[in-house]
Every structure is written in C-alpha cells, then in structure tokens.
Amino acid sequence: MPMTMRQILAALNHAIPDAGVWWPGDTRFEILVGAILTQNTTWTSVEKVLTKLKDLNLLNPVSLRGGNENLVQEAIRPSGYWRAKASYLASISTWFITNDPAASSFTDAELRRSLLGVRGVGEETADDILLYAYNRGVFIYDAYGRRLLSAAGWGEFSTYKAARLACDDAIRAEELTVREYGLLHGLIVQAGKNARVAGGWDTYWPMVIGS
C-alpha cells in the first residue's frame, strides 16, 4: 500500500523544513505571466523577464496585449522561445481581461477548461494558474510530481494527463487545503533538486522517509 499524500507531505515537510509555499507574484496577472514564461526554462530566467516587464510598464494585461510586439519579444528573450511566448502572453492577457472578473464564480472544472482553451496554455500551466493565481486545490503532475509519485509507489506515468487520470480522485479524496497543495508542490520541486544531487530518487526517497 503506497503512502497517502498526507503522509508524503508530512515526510517531505520534515525532511525539507521551512520550504514555504512556492510561486512568487505580486498579482494574479503576474502569476499567469510567470506560468507562461517558465515553460521550458528556469525560474531564474523568468525572474529577470518579470523585472524587465515591470520596468517597461508591461506587466499588466492591457499594456502587454497592446504593447509593441518587438519590444515585448526583446523583453522576454531571456526566457527562450520569445516569439511564441509573446503570442501566448497576448492570448492570456485577452483571457484575463475577459474572464478574471468572473473567475470566482467558475467551478474548478470550468476554470480549467477555460484556461485550456487559451493558446499556449497546456495542462501543467493551467493547473499552475488554478493553484497559485485562483487558489484552487490541485496537484501539479509535472515531471517533479511524477517522479515523486513513482518513488512513493503510486505508479509510473509518462505524461501529465496519464498521471492526473490515474491519481487525481485518490488525491482529492484526502481533502488537502489549497495551502497544503501549494506547500506540497514547493516541497516536491525542492525534493526533485535534492534527489538529483543525491544521485536519483532511488537514493533520495529512502532518506526522506527514514528521516
């Protein structure tokens, strides 16, 4: 019988104290922008871009959607794939202007479905936005999360969708709070980094549950 997600959270929280809830952002829109920018790059690069966008007064949906395309592309260049991401940022800006005022009235499923209809928003990005921008309790089945699930005996999953389909009902049944979901994600990300240093999850996970 695999550990429950609450047991996993407790073990990680003990092994990695003071991790805090992840994903910094001063506004909901900044979190949405960060979720787009962090695709296929490091958070360090994203932080540089967010600072640049703030300096250019582009970190708001109206300015970012209507800003000079070349200026936006140059500002986000450090995040990579800047041409595609500039287009995605315009799309998420339009979505935000249209949907954010009513987002609190959407169910989790409705909000997720709406986000997935935005160009450049896949399942992981949508769930990042749900959790961190709109305070909806969701587990993030990214590469870090899937490696954790494998190490903890929940199964091996090659895709985000496969892991979500297999595990989501069981995780939701544990009724974690939104804060616990955020803390869990931050802990899993840090655990993944620690596992890489330790030589892999096969070495690191026994250290976590034995600590």
Side-chain angles (χ1 to χ4, degrees), residues 83-194:
R83 292 186 182 88
K85 288 182 180 179
S87 175
Y88 300 162
L89 289 175
S91 295
I92 200 66
S93 297
T94 298
W95 180 91
F96 187 86
I97 291 167
T98 302
N99 293 282
D100 181 71
S104 62
S105 67
F106 293 4
T107 66
D108 292 359
E110 289 170 342
L111 187 54
R112 190 175 197 269
R113 187 161 53 248
S114 179
L115 285 164
L116 287 172
V118 179
R119 186 166 178 262
V121 176
E123 290 199 275
E124 181 180 335
T125 301
D127 286 343
D128 286 338
I129 292 170
L130 280 169
L131 176 57
Y132 291 107
Y134 292 104
N135 298 312
R136 307 300 178 96
V138 294
F139 185 90
I140 308 298
Y141 297 94
D142 57 7
Y144 287 114
R146 297 199 302 275
R147 291 184 190 117
L148 177 280
L149 290 170
S150 177
W154 282 63
E156 295 190 17
F157 307 101
S158 59
T159 66
Y160 196 104
K161 185 175 183 178
R164 184 172 181 272
L165 286 172
C167 303
D168 216 50
D169 286 347
I171 294 175
R172 284 187 174 277
E174 296 192 44
E175 298 184 341
L176 276 69
T177 65
V178 171
R179 186 187 183 283
E180 286 172 331
Y181 275 113
L183 175 60
L184 180 60
H185 181 224
L187 286 167
I188 291 172
V189 170
Q190 186 57 53
K193 296 175 181 178
N194 293 350

Side-chain angles (χ1 to χ4, degrees), residues 29-51:
F29 185 68
E30 182 175 339
I31 293 171
L32 267 69
V33 171
I36 294 290
L37 293 173
T38 198
Q39 297 170 5
N40 301 304
T41 193
T42 65
W43 187 253
T44 301
S45 298
V46 173
E47 287 181 315
K48 293 177 182 177
V49 171
L50 291 173
T51 298

